Amino acid sequence: MAQKILIVEDEENIAQLLHLYLEKEGYETQMAPDGGKAVELFRSFDPDLVLLDIMLPVMDGWSVLKKIREESKTPVIMLTAKGETADRVTGLEQGADDYIVKPFETKEVLARIRAVLRRTLGESEGTGEKKLAFDKLTINLDAYELLVDGKRVDTPPKELELLYHLASSPNRVFTRNQLLDEVWGFDYFGDSRTVDVHIKRLREKLEGVSTAWSLKTVWGVGYKFEVGPA
Ligand code: CA
Protein backbone atom coordinates (compact mmCIF):
# COMPACT_ATOMS: atom_id res chain seq x y z
CA MET A 1 0.00 0.00 0.00
CA ALA A 2 1.32 3.42 -0.92
CA GLN A 3 2.48 5.65 1.89
CA LYS A 4 0.44 8.82 2.22
CA ILE A 5 1.85 12.32 2.33
CA LEU A 6 -0.09 15.46 3.15
CA ILE A 7 1.31 18.55 1.42
CA VAL A 8 0.44 21.76 3.25
CA GLU A 9 1.46 24.68 1.08
CA ASP A 10 -0.41 27.78 -0.08
CA GLU A 11 1.82 28.49 -3.07
CA GLU A 12 0.09 26.50 -5.75
CA ASN A 13 3.18 26.02 -7.94
CA ILE A 14 5.16 24.49 -5.12
CA ALA A 15 2.26 22.31 -3.97
CA GLN A 16 1.66 21.03 -7.52
CA LEU A 17 5.34 20.36 -8.07
CA LEU A 18 5.56 18.30 -4.87
CA HIS A 19 2.29 16.54 -5.64
CA LEU A 20 3.34 15.45 -9.15
CA TYR A 21 6.83 14.47 -8.10
CA LEU A 22 5.80 12.46 -5.05
CA GLU A 23 2.97 10.69 -6.90
CA LYS A 24 5.47 9.73 -9.58
CA GLU A 25 7.66 8.29 -6.81
CA GLY A 26 4.80 6.08 -5.67
CA TYR A 27 3.35 8.08 -2.78
CA GLU A 28 -0.30 8.94 -2.42
CA THR A 29 -0.70 12.66 -1.75
CA GLN A 30 -3.29 15.24 -0.85
CA MET A 31 -2.86 19.01 -0.77
CA ALA A 32 -4.05 21.56 1.74
CA PRO A 33 -3.78 25.25 0.73
CA ASP A 34 -4.35 26.61 4.24
CA GLY A 35 -3.94 25.66 7.89
CA GLY A 36 -7.61 24.93 8.52
CA LYS A 37 -7.82 22.53 5.62
CA ALA A 38 -4.54 20.98 6.78
CA VAL A 39 -5.97 19.98 10.16
CA GLU A 40 -9.14 18.71 8.51
CA LEU A 41 -7.22 16.58 5.99
CA PHE A 42 -4.79 15.38 8.63
CA ARG A 43 -7.75 13.70 10.33
CA SER A 44 -9.58 12.36 7.29
CA PHE A 45 -6.62 11.43 5.05
CA ASP A 46 -4.55 10.04 7.96
CA PRO A 47 -1.14 10.62 6.30
CA ASP A 48 2.12 8.80 7.10
CA LEU A 49 3.99 12.08 6.86
CA VAL A 50 3.21 15.80 6.60
CA LEU A 51 5.12 18.45 4.62
CA LEU A 52 4.22 21.67 6.38
CA ASP A 53 4.79 25.24 5.20
CA ILE A 54 4.95 27.92 7.93
CA MET A 55 3.34 31.02 6.37
CA LEU A 56 -0.20 29.91 5.59
CA PRO A 57 -3.65 31.49 5.44
CA VAL A 58 -6.31 30.78 8.12
CA MET A 59 -3.89 29.12 10.57
CA ASP A 60 -0.08 29.18 10.34
CA GLY A 61 2.22 26.14 10.27
CA TRP A 62 3.07 26.46 13.98
CA SER A 63 -0.58 26.15 14.99
CA VAL A 64 -1.04 23.22 12.62
CA LEU A 65 2.03 21.49 14.08
CA LYS A 66 0.67 22.05 17.58
CA LYS A 67 -2.71 20.54 16.64
CA ILE A 68 -1.02 17.54 15.03
CA ARG A 69 1.20 16.94 18.07
CA GLU A 70 -1.81 17.08 20.38
CA GLU A 71 -3.15 13.95 18.75
CA SER A 72 -0.32 12.09 17.03
CA LYS A 73 3.37 11.45 16.47
CA THR A 74 3.03 11.42 12.68
CA PRO A 75 6.30 12.74 11.24
CA VAL A 76 6.26 16.37 10.14
CA ILE A 77 8.83 18.07 7.91
CA MET A 78 8.63 21.86 8.01
CA LEU A 79 9.24 23.94 4.88
CA THR A 80 11.11 27.02 6.08
CA ALA A 81 12.27 30.18 4.33
CA LYS A 82 15.95 30.66 3.61
CA GLY A 83 17.88 32.24 6.46
CA GLU A 84 15.13 31.76 9.04
CA THR A 85 17.32 29.86 11.49
CA ALA A 86 15.01 30.77 14.36
CA ASP A 87 12.16 29.02 12.56
CA ARG A 88 14.15 25.82 12.34
CA VAL A 89 15.02 25.87 16.04
CA THR A 90 11.40 26.60 16.99
CA GLY A 91 10.14 23.89 14.66
CA LEU A 92 12.39 21.19 16.04
CA GLU A 93 11.60 22.17 19.60
CA GLN A 94 7.88 22.04 18.93
CA GLY A 95 8.11 18.51 17.63
CA ALA A 96 8.89 18.76 13.92
CA ASP A 97 11.02 15.85 12.70
CA ASP A 98 13.06 17.74 10.16
CA TYR A 99 13.00 20.88 8.07
CA ILE A 100 13.72 21.74 4.46
CA VAL A 101 14.89 25.18 3.42
CA LYS A 102 13.18 26.89 0.49
CA PRO A 103 13.91 27.00 -2.36
CA PHE A 104 14.53 23.26 -2.45
CA GLU A 105 15.17 20.58 -5.01
CA THR A 106 12.50 17.92 -5.24
CA LYS A 107 15.22 15.27 -5.01
CA GLU A 108 16.24 16.63 -1.62
CA VAL A 109 12.63 16.56 -0.42
CA LEU A 110 12.35 12.91 -1.44
CA ALA A 111 15.59 12.02 0.36
CA ARG A 112 14.38 13.72 3.55
CA ILE A 113 10.98 12.04 3.37
CA ARG A 114 12.59 8.63 2.98
CA ALA A 115 15.03 9.27 5.82
CA VAL A 116 12.30 10.43 8.20
CA LEU A 117 9.97 7.54 7.32
CA ARG A 118 12.79 5.03 7.74
CA ARG A 119 13.69 6.52 11.10
CA THR A 120 10.17 6.58 12.50
CA LEU A 121 9.54 3.05 11.25
CA GLY A 122 12.79 1.90 12.91
CA GLU A 123 11.73 3.45 16.21
CA SER A 124 8.46 1.58 16.32
CA GLU A 125 10.22 -1.69 15.53
CA GLY A 126 12.76 -1.18 18.33
CA THR A 127 14.15 -4.31 20.00
CA GLY A 128 14.67 -2.68 23.37
CA GLU A 129 18.39 -3.28 23.14
CA LYS A 130 20.31 -0.07 23.61
CA LYS A 131 23.13 -0.71 21.25
CA LEU A 132 23.98 1.06 18.00
CA ALA A 133 26.58 -0.05 15.49
CA PHE A 134 28.15 1.91 12.65
CA ASP A 135 31.36 1.52 10.68
CA LYS A 136 34.14 1.19 13.31
CA LEU A 137 31.83 2.46 16.03
CA THR A 138 29.67 0.68 18.59
CA ILE A 139 27.71 2.60 21.19
CA ASN A 140 26.39 0.30 23.88
CA LEU A 141 24.18 2.03 26.43
CA ASP A 142 23.34 -1.21 28.25
CA ALA A 143 26.99 -1.79 29.13
CA TYR A 144 27.94 1.91 29.00
CA GLU A 145 30.65 1.04 26.57
CA LEU A 146 32.05 2.84 23.56
CA LEU A 147 34.02 0.85 21.02
CA VAL A 148 36.00 2.85 18.48
CA ASP A 149 37.76 0.85 15.79
CA GLY A 150 37.45 -2.25 17.97
CA LYS A 151 38.98 -0.62 21.05
CA ARG A 152 37.19 0.32 24.23
CA VAL A 153 37.35 4.06 24.85
CA ASP A 154 36.67 5.37 28.35
CA THR A 155 33.77 7.80 28.13
CA PRO A 156 31.85 9.58 30.89
CA PRO A 157 28.17 8.52 31.05
CA LYS A 158 26.74 11.84 29.82
CA GLU A 159 29.02 11.89 26.81
CA LEU A 160 27.95 8.38 25.92
CA GLU A 161 24.27 9.20 26.42
CA LEU A 162 24.62 12.29 24.25
CA LEU A 163 26.29 10.32 21.45
CA TYR A 164 23.69 7.57 21.72
CA HIS A 165 20.86 10.09 21.57
CA LEU A 166 22.24 11.75 18.44
CA ALA A 167 23.18 8.48 16.72
CA SER A 168 19.83 6.83 17.40
CA SER A 169 18.26 9.35 15.00
CA PRO A 170 20.88 9.61 12.26
CA ASN A 171 20.83 12.86 10.26
CA ARG A 172 18.25 14.41 12.53
CA VAL A 173 19.21 17.87 13.78
CA PHE A 174 18.81 18.49 17.51
CA THR A 175 18.95 21.94 19.07
CA ARG A 176 21.11 22.48 22.15
CA ASN A 177 18.02 22.97 24.28
CA GLN A 178 16.51 19.71 23.04
CA LEU A 179 19.70 17.86 23.89
CA LEU A 180 19.80 19.45 27.34
CA ASP A 181 16.20 18.43 27.99
CA GLU A 182 16.41 14.97 26.49
CA VAL A 183 19.86 13.91 27.69
CA TRP A 184 20.36 15.88 30.89
CA GLY A 185 16.71 16.25 31.84
CA PHE A 186 14.47 19.23 32.54
CA ASP A 187 15.74 19.65 36.07
CA TYR A 188 19.30 20.21 34.95
CA PHE A 189 20.57 23.73 35.62
CA GLY A 190 23.25 23.89 32.97
CA ASP A 191 23.33 26.01 29.87
CA SER A 192 23.78 25.15 26.23
CA ARG A 193 27.56 25.50 26.60
CA THR A 194 27.44 22.17 28.44
CA VAL A 195 26.36 20.51 25.19
CA ASP A 196 29.16 22.19 23.22
CA VAL A 197 31.78 21.02 25.69
CA HIS A 198 30.57 17.42 25.57
CA ILE A 199 30.45 17.46 21.77
CA LYS A 200 34.00 18.76 21.69
CA ARG A 201 35.22 15.90 23.89
CA LEU A 202 33.36 13.34 21.81
CA ARG A 203 34.91 14.73 18.65
CA GLU A 204 38.37 14.29 20.12
CA LYS A 205 37.58 10.61 20.56
CA LEU A 206 35.92 10.11 17.20
CA GLU A 207 37.88 12.30 14.83
CA GLY A 208 39.06 10.63 11.63
CA VAL A 209 37.81 7.17 12.60
CA SER A 210 35.47 6.66 9.66
CA THR A 211 34.14 8.54 6.65
CA ALA A 212 30.79 6.74 6.94
CA TRP A 213 29.56 8.97 9.78
CA SER A 214 30.42 12.20 11.58
CA LEU A 215 29.31 14.46 14.39
CA LYS A 216 28.23 17.62 12.57
CA THR A 217 27.55 21.14 13.75
CA VAL A 218 24.55 22.76 12.05
CA TRP A 219 25.37 26.43 12.41
CA GLY A 220 22.89 28.42 14.40
CA VAL A 221 20.73 25.35 14.99
CA GLY A 222 22.52 22.52 16.81
CA TYR A 223 24.07 19.15 16.15
CA LYS A 224 23.48 15.95 14.24
CA PHE A 225 25.06 12.54 13.79
CA GLU A 226 25.44 12.43 10.04
CA VAL A 227 25.44 9.13 8.22
CA GLY A 228 26.24 8.95 4.51
CA PRO A 229 23.97 7.26 1.97
CA ALA A 230 23.99 3.50 2.48
CA1 CA B 1 3.47 29.96 2.34
Side-chain angles (χ1 to χ4, degrees), residues 9-11 53 55-56 102:
E9 171 62 77
D10 60 324
E11 282 165 70
D53 184 31
M55 297 298 285
L56 292 166
K102 287 182 183 180

Side-chain angles (χ1 to χ4, degrees), residues 11 30 49 76 93 114 132 157 160 172 175 182:
E11 282 165 70
Q30 286 207 11
L49 184 142
V76 175
E93 289 180 348
R114 284 186 176 150
L132 300 168
L160 197 70
R172 169 170 179 177
T175 69
E182 292 162 14

Side-chain angles (χ1 to χ4, degrees), residues 7 12-13 18 30 39 43 45 60 63 66 80 84 87 92 100 115 124 132 135 137 158-159 164 184 199 208 225:
I7 301 162
E12 210 186 328
N13 291 340
L18 288 169
Q30 286 207 11
V39 174
R43 290 175 184 146
F45 180 49
D60 69 11
S63 311
K66 195 159 168 268
T80 70
E84 298 292 329
D87 279 354
L92 293 168
I100 293 168
S124 59
L132 300 168
D135 178 46
L137 177 71
K158 278 292 170 233
E159 265 178 53
Y164 183 88
W184 277 264
I199 292 278
F225 184 82

Side-chain angles (χ1 to χ4, degrees), residues 94-180:
Q94 293 189 357
D97 293 82
D98 202 351
Y99 59 83
I100 293 168
V101 181
K102 287 182 183 180
F104 47 72
E105 300 221 11
T106 44
K107 255 192 205 163
E108 188 200 347
V109 177
L110 182 66
R112 298 294 190 93
I113 287 173
R114 284 186 176 150
V116 167
L117 285 173
R118 205 161 46 227
R119 197 164 72 209
T120 45
L121 204 68
E123 276 167 16
S124 59
E125 284 170 353
T127 56
E129 191 188 33
K130 289 186 169 175
K131 188 175 163 182
L132 300 168
F134 301 90
D135 178 46
K136 298 182 188 168
L137 177 71
T138 307
I139 312 159
N140 187 335
L141 210 57
D142 289 323
Y144 268 91
E145 195 175 63
L146 180 68
L147 293 176
V148 180
D149 209 1
K151 289 186 211 74
R152 212 197 123 122
V153 176
D154 279 332
T155 312
K158 278 292 170 233
E159 265 178 53
L160 197 70
E161 286 168 22
L162 175 63
L163 180 61
Y164 183 88
H165 197 74
L166 288 163
S168 58
S169 294
N171 301 328
R172 169 170 179 177
V173 184
F174 291 90
T175 69
R176 290 173 175 80
N177 280 335
Q178 274 181 320
L179 292 168
L180 272 180

